[in-house]
């Protein structure tokens, strides 16, 4: 379900703050398809929690750690038990 995708995505980046990967790579890391995670990915990107970088034809996603730390402190990021 969607809330679980958001939580899984949040937990992935919470536990791997230096992660830089493609959207497909991120999906496979949490055992889901890109289609399944797209809304959650867009949600975090729109909040400024994730940074999108284009390298030629490749899209890379990474964590905006400053913003992330702020939002986690405010309880606005649904991480698993953190």
């Amino acid at each position: 379900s969607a809330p679980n995708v958001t939580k899984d995505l949040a937990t992935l980046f919470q536990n791997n703050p230096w992660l830089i990967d493609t959207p497909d790579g991120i999906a496979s890391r949490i055992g889901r398809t890109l289609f399944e995670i797209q809304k959650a990915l867009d949600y975090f990107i729109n909040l400024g929690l994730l940074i999108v970088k284009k390298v030629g034809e490749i899209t890379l996603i990474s964590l905006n750690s400053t913003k992330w730390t702020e939002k986690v402190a405010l309880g606005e990021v649904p991480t698993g038990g953190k």
Side-chain angles (χ1 to χ4, degrees):
S1 71
N4 287 345
V5 174
T6 306
K7 193 172 179 179
D8 290 350
L9 201 56
T11 302
L12 175 70
F13 280 99
Q14 179 76 19
N15 295 339
N16 305 279
W18 309 115
L19 180 67
I20 299 172
D21 206 345
T22 62
D24 276 318
I26 290 167
S28 69
R29 285 173 189 269
I30 60 172
R32 299 189 184 263
T33 65
L34 179 55
F35 178 78
E36 287 177 291
I37 73 158
Q38 193 63 63
K39 272 187 181 157
L41 211 51
D42 291 342
Y43 172 70
F44 285 131
I45 291 165
N46 291 336
L47 284 178
L49 297 174
L50 297 178
I51 299 164
V52 180
K53 189 175 175 185
K54 285 270 195 193
V55 182
E57 294 294 303
I58 299 168
T59 300
L60 294 174
I61 310 277
S62 61
L63 187 67
N64 179 347
S65 52
T66 308
K67 192 92 163 170
W68 187 269
T69 305
E70 282 173 21
K71 294 282 187 187
V72 168
L74 293 169
E76 293 175 16
V77 178
T79 55
K82 297 229 183 236

